[in-house]
Amino acid sequence: MKIKSALFSFLAFSLSLQPAVAQAPHGGVPVDSWQVSVRQMNPDMRDRITDTMQELDGSDQDRGLIAEIGQAAGFGLVASAVDIIVSETFNLAQMRKKQKREWMQMIERENNYTDSISSIKGLRDFYNAPSTRGALDPSDINFDGIEIRGIRNGREVIYMSCSIDRTKLDNLFRHSKFNLVIDTLAFYPYQCHLPNVAANGIRIMNDIKKGKAELQGDSIVRPGNGGNGFSFDERKNLNVGIDFTITSSWINEAVQVHKDVELGRFKFNIAIPDNAMMYTYSRKDVDSRATAIADEAQREQFLAANLLPVEGDCFVVPRSYMPLASGRRLWGTGEYNIKVKVRESCRFDTESDKAKHWRDDYKRLRKMQNRSGEVREYFQTLWNQNGLNLVKQSYKTVLNTGLSHYGLTAQGAAANAAAKAAAAKAAAAKPQPQP
């Protein structure tokens, strides 16, 4: 009964503390960057969690509950001077289909962007102070979610802030777990990383620095190549996904070291409405609108339709055992790490104007790839038309090495043959000994 009453009073308090809408940071930012920072727990909430643990710590039954939770938590040569004649025969109609198929593959690669961030700013202690209660004591918890900010070409692409779900704080005491909610989200589609031209070997940012490309409005362009910025006229079904994993390292009372153990992971997936210039979300605003709905069933239906869902949960970070010289049992402040993965994806509109003029876009992309000069291969290509077919012959040459010594190149084979012929001629001209 004591546990139930303590949890009830705690939940009543926590529901009254709605997290404030976090503001995106301002000031000098890099041209291209991801910033991930840890949010700090509200002092009032931290104190209330600590007080609740003190209330639960008064009986053997309560200590047994915490103890059970703690037990649950434990060849060769380099290629060279090889002259190769590569011949390919193309049916003109089939060649067009092949080009379109290659173009579509390039478009599909452009439709996905993924980046991983392992550098986290802010607090690395999950708790504010050591504990005498055990490895999973949630008292003095410091962690309260994370904030993510993405910058591209000096402009904000995304800002997201999430915090511990106040409506499920009883999981801290019953299961040593916590859940997250999205408090604030702002996403700018026309600043996003799609189309991901880098997936096709096109290095835009390097060319901007070298003056070979420039930013015009929302598009990055190269002279004579056109733009490659995101447009809802060509793409649809834009989605933003954020996954992050929490790991921890600690040492227990048996002096056993647990290194980089995964404690939990969270997954967000947000569908951005087509033609949105800017997408924003505020959980506080949704909750405020929900309170105006008198009918409970309608209110729950409204919340289910408008609150952004978050998948997953996570164990609280275990504290390392650290006894003092006096023999007093003590557990530390909890070491943890967060790895974040951000995804942007969309679908290409096969009815768009770009799809109707795909050959123009195919030529543009091929030109932007600048493949020649990036590899140590040089080609001389001859085209001959034979009826309805087109025959391509490519002479490929790479740098010279010792392969010629073994007669593995055209020059090496000729040299070896000449040497053998000279040796045979010399042998034939040499007087033979008389018997």
Side-chain angles (χ1 to χ4, degrees):
M1 293 297 294
K2 183 177 181 181
I3 295 177
K4 291 183 179 179
S5 61
L7 290 178
F8 179 80
S9 62
F10 173 75
L11 288 174
F13 173 81
S14 64
L15 286 172
S16 67
L17 289 179
Q18 291 296 330
V21 177
Q23 299 298 320
H26 296 285
V29 294
V31 173
D32 245 348
S33 68
W34 286 102
Q35 300 172 3
V36 180
S37 56
V38 177
R39 294 182 52 165
Q40 188 168 359
M41 177 64 71
N42 180 288
D44 293 335
M45 177 59 67
R46 182 194 305 142
D47 292 343
R48 185 56 184 165
I49 292 174
T50 302
D51 292 343
T52 301
M53 279 306 299
Q54 290 175 349
E55 293 179 27
L56 292 175
D57 201 32
S59 68
D60 292 338
Q61 178 184 357
D62 298 340
R63 284 194 292 269
L65 172 65
I66 297 173
E68 290 177 4
I69 292 174
Q71 293 172 3
F75 244 66
L77 300 168
V78 178
S80 63
V82 180
D83 295 339
I84 306 172
I85 300 178
V86 183
S87 297
E88 295 182 72
T89 301
F90 298 91
N91 178 280
L92 296 180
Q94 294 299 322
M95 183 178 181
R96 186 69 57 84
K97 291 181 180 180
K98 180 182 178 181
Q99 288 179 335
K100 187 172 185 179
R101 185 163 56 247
E102 182 182 353
W103 173 75
M104 278 303 302
Q105 291 171 350
M106 296 171 75
I107 290 295
E108 287 301 319
R109 288 193 290 268
E110 285 187 349
N111 287 345
N112 294 277
Y113 167 86
T114 303
D115 204 353
S116 297
I117 311 105
S118 57
S119 177
I120 311 297
K121 295 181 179 180
L123 300 168
R124 288 307 179 96
D125 294 324
F126 196 79
Y127 308 99
N128 193 50
S131 169
T132 59
R133 294 190 179 95
L136 296 180
D137 176 18
S139 301
D140 290 305
I141 188 171
N142 237 345
F143 177 87
D144 191 23
I146 65 173
E147 297 178 355
I148 299 175
R149 188 186 187 200
I151 306 296
R152 183 170 185 250
N153 306 321
R155 302 179 182 180
E156 189 169 85
V157 178
I158 185 172
Y159 174 79
M160 190 275 291
S161 174
C162 66
S163 63
I164 292 180
D165 190 349
R166 269 58 172 171
T167 66
K168 298 180 181 180
L169 278 176
D170 58 322
N171 281 346
L172 282 174
F173 310 104
R174 295 187 181 276
H175 311 294
S176 282
K177 286 185 174 183
F178 62 91
N179 304 82
L180 294 179
V181 294
I182 299 177
D183 296 314
T184 307
L185 178 69
F187 183 77
Y188 303 84
Y190 290 95
Q191 309 301 336
C192 74
H193 299 80
L194 302 177
N196 182 17
V197 294
N200 290 313
I202 300 171
R203 306 301 175 188
I204 288 293
M205 295 312 300
N206 289 337
D207 285 353
I208 288 181
K209 295 175 182 178
K210 295 176 182 178
K212 296 180 181 180
E214 59 183 1
L215 184 65
Q216 292 183 5
D218 296 322
S219 299
I220 302 171
V221 301
R222 278 198 178 111
N225 280 325
N228 62 286
F230 183 86
S231 172
F232 281 110
D233 293 335
E234 303 167 358
R235 323 271 170 165
K236 57 185 179 181
N237 300 130
L238 179 59
N239 273 268
V240 178
I242 301 176
D243 302 345
F244 67 90
T245 305
I246 298 179
T247 60
S248 177
S249 299
W250 71 93
I251 185 170
N252 62 18
E253 294 179 68
V255 198
Q256 295 171 325
V257 177
H258 300 265
K259 185 70 173 176
D260 295 327
V261 178
E262 181 178 318
L263 301 179
R265 58 180 60 198
F266 297 93
K267 183 177 183 179
F268 314 84
N269 191 51
I270 302 104
I272 307 300
D274 288 349
N275 300 315
M277 295 292 294
M278 172 183 179
Y279 175 81
T280 59
Y281 166 85
S282 168
R283 181 170 176 266
K284 185 176 181 180
D285 179 63
V286 173
D287 285 339
S288 177
R289 290 159 58 193
T291 56
I293 303 176
D295 184 78
E296 183 176 353
Q298 293 181 358
R299 183 166 60 251
E300 292 298 324
Q301 186 177 7
F302 173 83
L303 290 172
N306 290 277
L307 288 176
L308 293 180
V310 179
E311 299 180 22
D313 57 20
C314 182
F315 285 103
V316 296
V317 174
R319 302 170 182 260
S320 285
Y321 184 61
M322 42 182 293
L324 300 181
S326 62
R328 183 185 178 198
R329 291 156 60 85
L330 197 67
W331 288 264
T333 54
E335 174 189 354
Y336 70 98
N337 191 30
I338 303 175
K339 294 182 179 180
V340 181
K341 181 180 289 186
V342 181
R343 306 181 315 277
E344 297 172 12
S345 63
C346 64
R347 290 178 57 196
F348 182 72
D349 187 354
T350 56
E351 301 298 323
S352 66
D353 188 63
K354 179 178 283 191
K356 296 175 183 178
H357 302 87
W358 67 268
R359 291 193 66 206
D360 294 335
D361 190 58
Y362 175 71
K363 292 177 181 178
R364 180 179 67 87
L365 291 174
R366 294 285 291 183
K367 187 175 181 180
M368 292 175 70
Q369 286 179 319
N370 290 330
R371 289 186 176 180
S372 60
E374 292 186 1
V375 293
R376 301 197 313 188
E377 294 180 351
Y378 302 90
F379 293 89
Q380 178 184 6
T381 303
L382 299 177
W383 291 90
N384 297 304
Q385 187 164 355
N386 183 10
L388 295 177
N389 294 327
L390 212 58
V391 179
K392 179 182 74 172
Q393 291 183 325
S394 300
Y395 296 82
K396 173 185 176 183
T397 304
V398 284
L399 299 181
N400 190 28
T401 65
L403 284 180
S404 59
H405 176 74
Y406 296 95
L408 298 181
T409 67
Q411 295 90 339
N416 283 354
K420 290 178 181 180
K425 183 176 180 181
K430 185 178 181 179
Q432 300 296 319
Q434 295 297 322

